[in-house]
């Protein structure tokens, strides 16, 4: 501390920040009741899916209806499209980690509120610090604004940039959210082009 004091030496360690592995962290998320409205409305929290050694880490907005029922992110229409987009760049869904900014479904799929994102932030931070990915893909505006709050997704999408998480340099890539391509078929070629940037970044990192 800047005033020379050490803080409360007897304060218990934060179980989220010190969770030793994804299994322990995800068990904490599954028991979370920090957001009263979401805890009441959800079927279950949706912590995330993927191997602990994944190099690519995808962040969406929040679970929708199907994700809430199945307990896995991106399993509805946008998820089927995401899986296709991954296959198009020779990535299998099982190789990457997929999660959301908020781990519980907001009522009627409304946008997550700032306090909900804040409550979930420690979970996302611990997922990132455990996995140490090379590339973090930000799917849509909500995910991008968590890291780059002053930017516009339509301008930033498809353009990789480097930033640090802790002391590690990580590549971040904002992309249009796949749900856009479901609503606007005309955007599909642009979304597929943006996904090819993931492959280019990975090839450069090899
Ligand atoms: N959209 C998201 O942002 N996340 C999901 O898990 C599903 C749809």
């Amino acid at each position: 501390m800047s005033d020379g004091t050490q803080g409360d030496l007897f304060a218990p360690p934060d179980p989220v920040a010190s969770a030793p592995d994804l299994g322990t962290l995800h068990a904490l998320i599954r028991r979370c009741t920090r957001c009263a409205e979401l805890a009441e409305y959800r079927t279950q929290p949706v912590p995330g899916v993927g191997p602990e050694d994944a190099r690519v880490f995808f962040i969406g907005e929040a679970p929708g209806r199907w994700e809430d029922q199945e307990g896995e992110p991106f399993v509805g229409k946008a998820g089927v499209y995401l899986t296709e987009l991954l296959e198009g760049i020779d990535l299998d869904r099982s190789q990457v980690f997929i999660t959301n900014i908020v781990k519980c479904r907001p009522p009627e799929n409304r946008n997550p509120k700032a306090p909900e994102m804040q409550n979930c932030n420690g979970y996302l931070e611990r997922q990132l610090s455990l996995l140490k990915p090379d590339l973090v893909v930000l799917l849509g505006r909500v995910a991008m604004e968590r890291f780059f709050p002053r930017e516009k997704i339509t301008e930033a999408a498809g353009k990789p940039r480097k930033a640090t998480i802790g002391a590690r340099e990580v590549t971040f890539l904002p992309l249009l959210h796949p749900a856009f391509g479901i609503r606007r078929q005309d955007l599909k070629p642009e979304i597929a082009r943006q996904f090819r940037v993931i492959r280019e970044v990975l090839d450069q990192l090899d």
Side-chain angles (χ1 to χ4, degrees):
M1 287 195 173
S2 53
D3 62 1
T5 56
Q6 301 279 301
D8 180 357
L9 295 176
F10 292 97
D14 173 0
V16 172
S18 59
D21 51 46
L22 272 187
T24 309
L25 178 64
H26 288 189
L28 291 170
I29 297 173
R30 287 195 189 90
R31 292 203 295 273
C32 184
T33 54
R34 288 180 191 178
C35 306
E37 190 191 8
L38 300 193
E40 165 94 27
Y41 180 78
R42 73 187 182 206
T43 306
Q44 57 189 319
V46 182
V49 68
E52 199 135 357
D53 63 355
R55 298 176 66 197
V56 192
F57 190 114
F58 286 82
I59 309 177
E61 179 176 325
R65 179 172 166 212
W66 299 109
E67 292 77 22
D68 173 70
Q69 283 187 13
E70 294 196 22
E72 182 169 329
F74 285 95
V75 290
K77 274 191 194 162
V80 171
Y81 181 39
L82 173 65
T83 306
E84 268 173 42
L85 287 161
L86 291 174
E87 283 165 2
I89 53 168
D90 289 326
L91 273 181
D92 193 89
R93 197 182 152 100
S94 65
Q95 293 172 276
V96 303
F97 188 77
I98 309 175
T99 190
N100 284 300
I101 292 285
V102 166
K103 314 300 191 204
C104 296
R105 182 190 182 198
E108 311 308 325
N109 297 344
R110 65 158 168 73
N111 287 342
K113 296 178 180 170
E116 294 164 352
M117 296 194 266
Q118 190 54 41
N119 282 344
C120 245
N121 192 43
Y123 297 132
L124 182 66
E125 285 189 354
R126 189 63 187 142
Q127 287 174 323
L128 284 165
S129 65
L130 282 168
L131 267 88
K132 300 186 174 55
D134 294 322
L135 172 61
V136 175
V137 181
L138 305 169
L139 295 173
R141 178 186 63 79
V142 169
M144 187 198 69
E145 285 182 354
R146 158 63 185 80
F147 297 90
F148 306 107
R150 279 175 291 280
E151 299 194 33
K152 272 189 142 59
I153 187 67
T154 42
E155 283 162 22
K159 297 176 192 150
R161 80 277 300 281
K162 296 212 159 102
T164 50
I165 300 182
R168 284 185 70 245
E169 190 176 79
V170 178
T171 303
F172 283 83
L173 177 63
L175 296 182
L176 292 182
H177 195 290
F180 253 134
I182 307 286
R183 289 197 293 270
R184 292 256 322 259
Q185 295 285 320
D186 59 311
L187 284 177
K188 279 191 158 177
E190 172 57 16
I191 293 177
R193 186 197 68 74
Q194 292 181 5
F195 263 72
R196 287 196 288 277
V197 179
I198 298 177
R199 172 50 60 209
E200 286 164 24
V201 171
L202 288 178
D203 290 348
Q204 278 167 19
L205 289 170
D206 281 336

